[in-house]
Amino acid sequence: MNKFVLLLVIIGALNWGIFGLFQIDLIATLFGGASTLPSRIVYTLVGLAGIYAIRYLVGDRETT
């Protein structure tokens, strides 16, 4: 689960980076527009992954 969440967070970060640099929404481009169902699913999953990843920021960290 954690690797899947990390993958989604990375996808979201790359999408924002590409949008910031080139004004291209990669998710919308790949899935036929920002309001299509597949795009909305990806956006929702990325958002949920971001919320889930907050636990890494505020949670206990194991040190090795």
Side-chain angles (χ1 to χ4, degrees):
M1 177 74 169
N2 291 341
K3 288 185 180 185
F4 181 66
V5 166
L6 180 60
L7 176 67
L8 288 172
V9 170
I10 290 169
I11 289 170
L14 290 173
N15 191 50
W16 275 108
I18 291 169
F19 186 79
L21 291 172
F22 306 110
Q23 295 184 342
I24 297 171
D25 185 344
L26 189 58
I27 301 301
T29 301
L30 291 175
F31 293 105
S35 62
T36 64
L37 183 61
S39 291
R40 292 178 57 209
I41 290 170
V42 172
Y43 293 138
T44 301
L45 289 174
V46 168
L48 291 173
I51 292 169
Y52 182 84
I54 290 172
R55 73 184 204 119
Y56 296 116
L57 182 63
V58 297
D60 293 332
R61 296 187 184 129
E62 294 182 26
T63 57
T64 56

Short mmCIF file of all heavy atoms in Angstrom, two decimals:
data_model
loop_
_atom_site.label_atom_id
_atom_site.label_comp_id
_atom_site.label_asym_id
_atom_site.label_seq_id
_atom_site.Cartn_x
_atom_site.Cartn_y
_atom_site.Cartn_z
N MET A 1 0.83 -1.19 0.00
CA MET A 1 0.00 0.00 0.00
C MET A 1 0.87 1.26 0.00
O MET A 1 0.58 2.20 -0.73
CB MET A 1 -0.92 -0.04 1.23
CG MET A 1 -1.78 1.16 1.39
SD MET A 1 -3.10 1.15 0.21
CE MET A 1 -4.11 2.44 0.82
N ASN A 2 1.92 1.26 0.82
CA ASN A 2 2.76 2.45 0.90
C ASN A 2 3.46 2.77 -0.42
O ASN A 2 3.59 3.93 -0.79
CB ASN A 2 3.80 2.30 2.01
CG ASN A 2 3.18 2.31 3.38
OD1 ASN A 2 2.06 2.75 3.57
ND2 ASN A 2 3.91 1.81 4.37
N LYS A 3 3.89 1.75 -1.14
CA LYS A 3 4.53 1.98 -2.44
C LYS A 3 3.54 2.51 -3.46
O LYS A 3 3.88 3.36 -4.28
CB LYS A 3 5.20 0.70 -2.95
CG LYS A 3 6.44 0.35 -2.17
CD LYS A 3 7.14 -0.83 -2.77
CE LYS A 3 8.39 -1.14 -1.95
NZ LYS A 3 9.18 -2.18 -2.54
N PHE A 4 2.31 2.03 -3.41
CA PHE A 4 1.27 2.53 -4.31
C PHE A 4 0.98 4.00 -4.02
O PHE A 4 0.86 4.81 -4.94
CB PHE A 4 0.00 1.68 -4.17
CG PHE A 4 -1.12 2.11 -5.07
CD1 PHE A 4 -1.01 2.01 -6.45
CD2 PHE A 4 -2.29 2.63 -4.54
CE1 PHE A 4 -2.04 2.41 -7.29
CE2 PHE A 4 -3.33 3.03 -5.35
CZ PHE A 4 -3.21 2.92 -6.73
N VAL A 5 0.88 4.34 -2.75
CA VAL A 5 0.65 5.73 -2.35
C VAL A 5 1.82 6.60 -2.82
O VAL A 5 1.61 7.69 -3.38
CB VAL A 5 0.45 5.84 -0.83
CG1 VAL A 5 0.54 7.28 -0.35
CG2 VAL A 5 -0.89 5.24 -0.43
N LEU A 6 3.04 6.13 -2.61
CA LEU A 6 4.21 6.89 -3.05
C LEU A 6 4.19 7.09 -4.56
O LEU A 6 4.48 8.18 -5.05
CB LEU A 6 5.49 6.19 -2.61
CG LEU A 6 6.79 6.87 -2.99
CD1 LEU A 6 6.87 8.27 -2.39
CD2 LEU A 6 7.97 6.03 -2.54
N LEU A 7 3.83 6.07 -5.30
CA LEU A 7 3.75 6.17 -6.75
C LEU A 7 2.74 7.24 -7.17
O LEU A 7 3.01 8.07 -8.04
CB LEU A 7 3.38 4.82 -7.37
CG LEU A 7 3.15 4.81 -8.88
CD1 LEU A 7 4.46 5.10 -9.61
CD2 LEU A 7 2.58 3.48 -9.31
N LEU A 8 1.57 7.24 -6.53
CA LEU A 8 0.55 8.24 -6.86
C LEU A 8 1.00 9.65 -6.51
O LEU A 8 0.74 10.60 -7.26
CB LEU A 8 -0.76 7.91 -6.15
CG LEU A 8 -1.52 6.71 -6.70
CD1 LEU A 8 -2.70 6.37 -5.80
CD2 LEU A 8 -1.99 6.96 -8.12
N VAL A 9 1.68 9.80 -5.38
CA VAL A 9 2.19 11.12 -5.00
C VAL A 9 3.23 11.60 -6.01
O VAL A 9 3.25 12.77 -6.41
CB VAL A 9 2.75 11.09 -3.56
CG1 VAL A 9 3.49 12.37 -3.23
CG2 VAL A 9 1.63 10.85 -2.55
N ILE A 10 4.08 10.69 -6.46
CA ILE A 10 5.09 11.04 -7.47
C ILE A 10 4.41 11.44 -8.78
O ILE A 10 4.80 12.42 -9.42
CB ILE A 10 6.08 9.89 -7.68
CG1 ILE A 10 6.97 9.75 -6.44
CG2 ILE A 10 6.93 10.11 -8.93
CD1 ILE A 10 7.81 8.49 -6.42
N ILE A 11 3.39 10.69 -9.20
CA ILE A 11 2.66 11.03 -10.42
C ILE A 11 2.05 12.42 -10.29
O ILE A 11 2.12 13.23 -11.22
CB ILE A 11 1.57 9.97 -10.70
CG1 ILE A 11 2.22 8.66 -11.17
CG2 ILE A 11 0.56 10.47 -11.74
CD1 ILE A 11 1.27 7.49 -11.25
N GLY A 12 1.45 12.70 -9.15
CA GLY A 12 0.87 14.03 -8.94
C GLY A 12 1.91 15.13 -8.98
O GLY A 12 1.71 16.18 -9.58
N ALA A 13 3.06 14.88 -8.34
CA ALA A 13 4.13 15.88 -8.33
C ALA A 13 4.68 16.11 -9.74
O ALA A 13 4.92 17.26 -10.13
CB ALA A 13 5.25 15.43 -7.39
N LEU A 14 4.86 15.05 -10.50
CA LEU A 14 5.34 15.21 -11.87
C LEU A 14 4.33 15.96 -12.73
O LEU A 14 4.70 16.81 -13.54
CB LEU A 14 5.66 13.85 -12.48
CG LEU A 14 6.88 13.13 -11.90
CD1 LEU A 14 6.99 11.73 -12.48
CD2 LEU A 14 8.14 13.93 -12.15
N ASN A 15 3.06 15.65 -12.53
CA ASN A 15 2.01 16.35 -13.28
C ASN A 15 2.04 17.84 -12.97
O ASN A 15 1.96 18.68 -13.88
CB ASN A 15 0.64 15.75 -12.97
CG ASN A 15 -0.43 16.25 -13.92
OD1 ASN A 15 -0.26 16.21 -15.13
ND2 ASN A 15 -1.53 16.73 -13.37
N TRP A 16 2.18 18.20 -11.70
CA TRP A 16 2.25 19.62 -11.32
C TRP A 16 3.51 20.27 -11.87
O TRP A 16 3.48 21.43 -12.31
CB TRP A 16 2.19 19.78 -9.81
CG TRP A 16 0.79 19.81 -9.30
CD1 TRP A 16 0.15 18.83 -8.59
CD2 TRP A 16 -0.16 20.86 -9.46
NE1 TRP A 16 -1.13 19.21 -8.32
CE2 TRP A 16 -1.35 20.46 -8.84
CE3 TRP A 16 -0.12 22.09 -10.08
CZ2 TRP A 16 -2.49 21.26 -8.82
CZ3 TRP A 16 -1.25 22.90 -10.05
CH2 TRP A 16 -2.42 22.47 -9.43
N GLY A 17 4.62 19.54 -11.83
CA GLY A 17 5.86 20.09 -12.37
C GLY A 17 5.78 20.35 -13.86
O GLY A 17 6.20 21.42 -14.34
N ILE A 18 5.22 19.40 -14.59
CA ILE A 18 5.05 19.58 -16.03
C ILE A 18 4.08 20.72 -16.32
O ILE A 18 4.30 21.53 -17.21
CB ILE A 18 4.57 18.26 -16.69
CG1 ILE A 18 5.69 17.22 -16.64
CG2 ILE A 18 4.12 18.48 -18.11
CD1 ILE A 18 5.25 15.82 -17.00
N PHE A 19 3.03 20.81 -15.51
CA PHE A 19 2.09 21.90 -15.70
C PHE A 19 2.74 23.25 -15.41
O PHE A 19 2.54 24.22 -16.13
CB PHE A 19 0.85 21.72 -14.81
CG PHE A 19 -0.22 22.73 -15.07
CD1 PHE A 19 -1.06 22.59 -16.15
CD2 PHE A 19 -0.36 23.83 -14.25
CE1 PHE A 19 -2.04 23.53 -16.42
CE2 PHE A 19 -1.33 24.78 -14.50
CZ PHE A 19 -2.17 24.64 -15.58
N GLY A 20 3.54 23.31 -14.35
CA GLY A 20 4.21 24.56 -14.01
C GLY A 20 5.21 25.01 -15.05
O GLY A 20 5.34 26.20 -15.33
N LEU A 21 5.93 24.06 -15.63
CA LEU A 21 6.95 24.40 -16.61
C LEU A 21 6.39 24.63 -18.02
O LEU A 21 6.81 25.54 -18.72
CB LEU A 21 8.01 23.30 -16.68
CG LEU A 21 8.91 23.16 -15.46
CD1 LEU A 21 9.76 21.91 -15.59
CD2 LEU A 21 9.76 24.40 -15.28
N PHE A 22 5.45 23.79 -18.41
CA PHE A 22 5.00 23.79 -19.81
C PHE A 22 3.50 24.05 -19.99
O PHE A 22 3.00 24.04 -21.11
CB PHE A 22 5.34 22.46 -20.47
CG PHE A 22 6.79 22.09 -20.35
CD1 PHE A 22 7.17 21.03 -19.55
CD2 PHE A 22 7.76 22.81 -21.02
CE1 PHE A 22 8.51 20.68 -19.43
CE2 PHE A 22 9.10 22.48 -20.91
CZ PHE A 22 9.48 21.40 -20.10
N GLN A 23 2.77 24.23 -18.91
CA GLN A 23 1.32 24.43 -18.93
C GLN A 23 0.61 23.28 -19.65
O GLN A 23 -0.33 23.50 -20.42
CB GLN A 23 0.96 25.78 -19.53
CG GLN A 23 1.43 26.94 -18.69
CD GLN A 23 0.99 28.27 -19.23
OE1 GLN A 23 0.60 28.40 -20.39
NE2 GLN A 23 1.04 29.28 -18.39
N ILE A 24 1.09 22.07 -19.39
CA ILE A 24 0.47 20.87 -19.96
C ILE A 24 0.01 20.00 -18.79
O ILE A 24 0.81 19.60 -17.96
CB ILE A 24 1.45 20.07 -20.83
CG1 ILE A 24 1.89 20.90 -22.03
CG2 ILE A 24 0.84 18.75 -21.28
CD1 ILE A 24 3.03 20.27 -22.82
N ASP A 25 -1.28 19.71 -18.73
CA ASP A 25 -1.81 18.80 -17.73
C ASP A 25 -1.70 17.39 -18.31
O ASP A 25 -2.50 16.99 -19.15
CB ASP A 25 -3.25 19.16 -17.40
CG ASP A 25 -3.83 18.32 -16.28
OD1 ASP A 25 -3.26 17.27 -15.94
OD2 ASP A 25 -4.88 18.73 -15.74
N LEU A 26 -0.68 16.67 -17.89
CA LEU A 26 -0.39 15.36 -18.47
C LEU A 26 -1.53 14.37 -18.25
O LEU A 26 -1.86 13.61 -19.16
CB LEU A 26 0.91 14.81 -17.89
CG LEU A 26 1.47 13.57 -18.54
CD1 LEU A 26 1.73 13.80 -20.03
CD2 LEU A 26 2.74 13.12 -17.84
N ILE A 27 -2.14 14.39 -17.08
CA ILE A 27 -3.24 13.48 -16.80
C ILE A 27 -4.41 13.76 -17.76
O ILE A 27 -4.95 12.83 -18.37
CB ILE A 27 -3.71 13.61 -15.34
CG1 ILE A 27 -2.58 13.32 -14.36
CG2 ILE A 27 -4.91 12.71 -15.06
CD1 ILE A 27 -1.97 11.95 -14.47
N ALA A 28 -4.77 15.02 -17.90
CA ALA A 28 -5.86 15.38 -18.81
C ALA A 28 -5.51 15.02 -20.25
O ALA A 28 -6.36 14.55 -21.01
CB ALA A 28 -6.17 16.86 -18.70
N THR A 29 -4.25 15.23 -20.63
CA THR A 29 -3.82 14.91 -21.99
C THR A 29 -3.92 13.41 -22.26
O THR A 29 -4.39 12.98 -23.31
CB THR A 29 -2.38 15.40 -22.22
OG1 THR A 29 -2.33 16.80 -22.00
CG2 THR A 29 -1.91 15.08 -23.63
N LEU A 30 -3.50 12.61 -21.29
CA LEU A 30 -3.50 11.15 -21.48
C LEU A 30 -4.90 10.56 -21.46
O LEU A 30 -5.17 9.56 -22.13
CB LEU A 30 -2.66 10.48 -20.39
CG LEU A 30 -1.16 10.72 -20.46
CD1 LEU A 30 -0.48 10.09 -19.25
CD2 LEU A 30 -0.59 10.15 -21.75
N PHE A 31 -5.81 11.18 -20.70
CA PHE A 31 -7.13 10.58 -20.51
C PHE A 31 -8.26 11.36 -21.17
O PHE A 31 -9.43 11.16 -20.85
CB PHE A 31 -7.41 10.39 -19.02
CG PHE A 31 -6.51 9.37 -18.38
CD1 PHE A 31 -5.48 9.76 -17.56
CD2 PHE A 31 -6.68 8.02 -18.62
CE1 PHE A 31 -4.63 8.84 -16.97
CE2 PHE A 31 -5.85 7.08 -18.04
CZ PHE A 31 -4.82 7.49 -17.22
N GLY A 32 -7.95 12.26 -22.08
CA GLY A 32 -8.98 12.89 -22.89
C GLY A 32 -9.65 14.11 -22.30
O GLY A 32 -10.76 14.45 -22.71
N GLY A 33 -9.03 14.76 -21.36
CA GLY A 33 -9.59 15.98 -20.79
C GLY A 33 -9.69 15.88 -19.28
O GLY A 33 -9.75 14.79 -18.71
N ALA A 34 -9.71 17.05 -18.65
CA ALA A 34 -9.70 17.09 -17.19
C ALA A 34 -11.01 16.63 -16.57
O ALA A 34 -11.04 16.20 -15.43
CB ALA A 34 -9.37 18.51 -16.72
N SER A 35 -12.10 16.71 -17.31
CA SER A 35 -13.40 16.36 -16.73
C SER A 35 -13.87 14.96 -17.10
O SER A 35 -14.99 14.59 -16.74
CB SER A 35 -14.44 17.40 -17.15
OG SER A 35 -14.58 17.39 -18.55
N THR A 36 -13.04 14.18 -17.79
CA THR A 36 -13.45 12.81 -18.12
C THR A 36 -13.36 11.94 -16.87
O THR A 36 -12.61 12.24 -15.94
CB THR A 36 -12.58 12.22 -19.24
OG1 THR A 36 -11.24 12.12 -18.77
CG2 THR A 36 -12.65 13.06 -20.51
N LEU A 37 -14.10 10.88 -16.86
CA LEU A 37 -14.14 9.98 -15.70
C LEU A 37 -12.76 9.42 -15.37
O LEU A 37 -12.36 9.44 -14.20
CB LEU A 37 -15.16 8.87 -15.92
CG LEU A 37 -15.33 7.91 -14.74
CD1 LEU A 37 -15.80 8.66 -13.49
CD2 LEU A 37 -16.32 6.81 -15.10
N PRO A 38 -11.98 8.91 -16.35
CA PRO A 38 -10.65 8.39 -15.99
C PRO A 38 -9.74 9.45 -15.37
O PRO A 38 -9.05 9.17 -14.39
CB PRO A 38 -10.09 7.90 -17.32
CG PRO A 38 -11.28 7.64 -18.18
CD PRO A 38 -12.30 8.64 -17.76
N SER A 39 -9.77 10.66 -15.88
CA SER A 39 -8.96 11.73 -15.30
C SER A 39 -9.41 12.04 -13.88
O SER A 39 -8.58 12.20 -12.99
CB SER A 39 -9.06 13.00 -16.14
OG SER A 39 -8.44 12.85 -17.38
N ARG A 40 -10.69 12.12 -13.67
CA ARG A 40 -11.21 12.42 -12.35
C ARG A 40 -10.86 11.33 -11.35
O ARG A 40 -10.57 11.61 -10.19
CB ARG A 40 -12.71 12.64 -12.41
CG ARG A 40 -13.04 13.93 -13.18
CD ARG A 40 -14.51 14.20 -13.33
NE ARG A 40 -15.15 14.25 -12.04
CZ ARG A 40 -16.43 13.92 -11.84
NH1 ARG A 40 -17.17 13.53 -12.85
NH2 ARG A 40 -16.95 14.00 -10.65
N ILE A 41 -10.83 10.08 -11.81
CA ILE A 41 -10.43 8.97 -10.94
C ILE A 41 -8.96 9.12 -10.55
O ILE A 41 -8.60 8.98 -9.37
CB ILE A 41 -10.70 7.61 -11.61
CG1 ILE A 41 -12.20 7.35 -11.69
CG2 ILE A 41 -9.99 6.48 -10.88
CD1 ILE A 41 -12.59 6.16 -12.54
N VAL A 42 -8.11 9.42 -11.53
CA VAL A 42 -6.69 9.59 -11.23
C VAL A 42 -6.48 10.78 -10.30
O VAL A 42 -5.74 10.68 -9.32
CB VAL A 42 -5.86 9.76 -12.53
CG1 VAL A 42 -4.42 10.13 -12.22
CG2 VAL A 42 -5.91 8.49 -13.36
N TYR A 43 -7.13 11.90 -10.56
CA TYR A 43 -7.01 13.07 -9.68
C TYR A 43 -7.45 12.73 -8.26
O TYR A 43 -6.82 13.12 -7.28
CB TYR A 43 -7.86 14.24 -10.19
CG TYR A 43 -7.40 14.85 -11.49
CD1 TYR A 43 -8.31 15.20 -12.47
CD2 TYR A 43 -6.06 15.10 -11.74
CE1 TYR A 43 -7.92 15.79 -13.66
CE2 TYR A 43 -5.65 15.69 -12.94
CZ TYR A 43 -6.57 16.02 -13.88
OH TYR A 43 -6.17 16.59 -15.05
N THR A 44 -8.55 11.99 -8.13
CA THR A 44 -9.05 11.62 -6.82
C THR A 44 -8.08 10.70 -6.10
O THR A 44 -7.80 10.88 -4.91
CB THR A 44 -10.43 10.94 -6.95
OG1 THR A 44 -11.33 11.85 -7.59
CG2 THR A 44 -10.98 10.54 -5.60
N LEU A 45 -7.53 9.71 -6.82
CA LEU A 45 -6.57 8.80 -6.20
C LEU A 45 -5.30 9.53 -5.77
O LEU A 45 -4.76 9.27 -4.69
CB LEU A 45 -6.21 7.66 -7.17
CG LEU A 45 -7.31 6.63 -7.42
CD1 LEU A 45 -6.87 5.64 -8.49
CD2 LEU A 45 -7.65 5.90 -6.12
N VAL A 46 -4.83 10.47 -6.59
CA VAL A 46 -3.65 11.25 -6.23
C VAL A 46 -3.95 12.10 -4.99
O VAL A 46 -3.12 12.18 -4.08
CB VAL A 46 -3.18 12.13 -7.42
CG1 VAL A 46 -2.16 13.15 -6.98
CG2 VAL A 46 -2.61 11.25 -8.52
N GLY A 47 -5.11 12.70 -4.94
CA GLY A 47 -5.49 13.50 -3.77
C GLY A 47 -5.58 12.66 -2.51
O GLY A 47 -5.09 13.06 -1.45
N LEU A 48 -6.19 11.49 -2.60
CA LEU A 48 -6.28 10.60 -1.45
C LEU A 48 -4.90 10.12 -1.02
O LEU A 48 -4.63 9.99 0.18
CB LEU A 48 -7.19 9.41 -1.78
CG LEU A 48 -8.67 9.73 -1.94
CD1 LEU A 48 -9.43 8.50 -2.43
CD2 LEU A 48 -9.26 10.25 -0.64
N ALA A 49 -4.03 9.86 -1.99
CA ALA A 49 -2.67 9.45 -1.66
C ALA A 49 -1.93 10.57 -0.93
O ALA A 49 -1.17 10.32 0.01
CB ALA A 49 -1.91 9.07 -2.93
N GLY A 50 -2.16 11.81 -1.34
CA GLY A 50 -1.55 12.94 -0.66
C GLY A 50 -2.02 13.05 0.78
O GLY A 50 -1.23 13.30 1.69
N ILE A 51 -3.31 12.84 1.00
CA ILE A 51 -3.85 12.87 2.36
C ILE A 51 -3.24 11.74 3.18
O ILE A 51 -2.84 11.93 4.32
CB ILE A 51 -5.39 12.78 2.33
CG1 ILE A 51 -5.96 14.06 1.73
CG2 ILE A 51 -5.95 12.53 3.73
CD1 ILE A 51 -7.44 13.98 1.41
N TYR A 52 -3.16 10.56 2.60
CA TYR A 52 -2.57 9.41 3.28
C TYR A 52 -1.10 9.67 3.61
O TYR A 52 -0.62 9.29 4.66
CB TYR A 52 -2.72 8.16 2.40
CG TYR A 52 -2.18 6.90 3.03
CD1 TYR A 52 -2.97 6.16 3.91
CD2 TYR A 52 -0.91 6.43 2.73
CE1 TYR A 52 -2.49 4.99 4.48
CE2 TYR A 52 -0.42 5.27 3.31
CZ TYR A 52 -1.22 4.55 4.17
OH TYR A 52 -0.73 3.40 4.74
N ALA A 53 -0.39 10.34 2.70
CA ALA A 53 1.04 10.59 2.88
C ALA A 53 1.32 11.61 3.97
O ALA A 53 2.46 11.71 4.44
CB ALA A 53 1.66 11.04 1.56
N ILE A 54 0.32 12.36 4.40
CA ILE A 54 0.51 13.31 5.50
C ILE A 54 1.01 12.59 6.74
O ILE A 54 1.78 13.15 7.52
CB ILE A 54 -0.79 14.09 5.77
CG1 ILE A 54 -1.09 15.04 4.62
CG2 ILE A 54 -0.70 14.87 7.08
CD1 ILE A 54 -2.44 15.73 4.72
N ARG A 55 0.64 11.35 6.90
CA ARG A 55 1.06 10.60 8.08
C ARG A 55 2.58 10.48 8.15
O ARG A 55 3.14 10.36 9.22
CB ARG A 55 0.39 9.23 8.15
CG ARG A 55 0.92 8.24 7.16
CD ARG A 55 0.13 6.93 7.22
NE ARG A 55 0.95 5.86 6.72
CZ ARG A 55 1.31 4.81 7.41
NH1 ARG A 55 0.88 4.66 8.65
NH2 ARG A 55 2.08 3.88 6.89
N TYR A 56 3.25 10.50 7.01
CA TYR A 56 4.70 10.44 7.01
C TYR A 56 5.30 11.75 7.54
O TYR A 56 6.39 11.76 8.08
CB TYR A 56 5.25 10.18 5.61
CG TYR A 56 4.85 8.84 5.06
CD1 TYR A 56 4.04 8.74 3.95
CD2 TYR A 56 5.24 7.67 5.68
CE1 TYR A 56 3.65 7.52 3.44
CE2 TYR A 56 4.85 6.43 5.21
CZ TYR A 56 4.06 6.37 4.08
OH TYR A 56 3.67 5.16 3.59
N LEU A 57 4.58 12.82 7.35
CA LEU A 57 5.05 14.13 7.80
C LEU A 57 4.86 14.30 9.30
O LEU A 57 5.74 14.82 9.98
CB LEU A 57 4.29 15.23 7.05
CG LEU A 57 4.69 16.67 7.35
CD1 LEU A 57 6.13 16.92 6.93
CD2 LEU A 57 3.76 17.62 6.63
N VAL A 58 3.74 13.85 9.83
CA VAL A 58 3.42 14.09 11.23
C VAL A 58 3.54 12.84 12.09
O VAL A 58 3.49 12.95 13.32
CB VAL A 58 2.00 14.67 11.37
CG1 VAL A 58 1.90 16.01 10.71
CG2 VAL A 58 0.94 13.72 10.85
N GLY A 59 3.70 11.67 11.49
CA GLY A 59 3.74 10.43 12.24
C GLY A 59 5.10 10.15 12.84
O GLY A 59 6.08 10.86 12.62
N ASP A 60 5.14 9.09 13.62
CA ASP A 60 6.40 8.63 14.19
C ASP A 60 7.30 8.09 13.11
O ASP A 60 6.85 7.40 12.19
CB ASP A 60 6.16 7.54 15.22
CG ASP A 60 5.44 8.08 16.46
OD1 ASP A 60 5.61 9.27 16.75
OD2 ASP A 60 4.74 7.29 17.11
N ARG A 61 8.56 8.40 13.21
CA ARG A 61 9.53 7.92 12.22
C ARG A 61 10.46 6.93 12.88
O ARG A 61 10.97 7.17 13.96
CB ARG A 61 10.32 9.08 11.64
CG ARG A 61 9.45 10.04 10.89
CD ARG A 61 10.29 11.09 10.21
NE ARG A 61 9.41 12.04 9.57
CZ ARG A 61 9.50 13.34 9.73
NH1 ARG A 61 10.45 13.85 10.47
NH2 ARG A 61 8.66 14.14 9.13
N GLU A 62 10.67 5.84 12.21
CA GLU A 62 11.63 4.84 12.69
C GLU A 62 13.01 5.24 12.21
O GLU A 62 13.19 5.63 11.06
CB GLU A 62 11.29 3.46 12.16
CG GLU A 62 9.98 2.92 12.69
CD GLU A 62 9.72 1.52 12.17
OE1 GLU A 62 10.68 0.82 11.84
OE2 GLU A 62 8.55 1.15 12.10
N THR A 63 13.98 5.15 13.07
CA THR A 63 15.35 5.44 12.67
C THR A 63 16.15 4.16 12.70
O THR A 63 15.92 3.28 13.51
CB THR A 63 16.00 6.48 13.62
OG1 THR A 63 15.94 5.98 14.96
CG2 THR A 63 15.29 7.80 13.55
N THR A 64 17.09 4.07 11.79
CA THR A 64 17.92 2.87 11.73
C THR A 64 19.34 3.20 12.08
O THR A 64 19.77 4.30 12.07
CB THR A 64 17.89 2.23 10.33
OG1 THR A 64 18.28 3.20 9.38
CG2 THR A 64 16.49 1.73 10.02
#
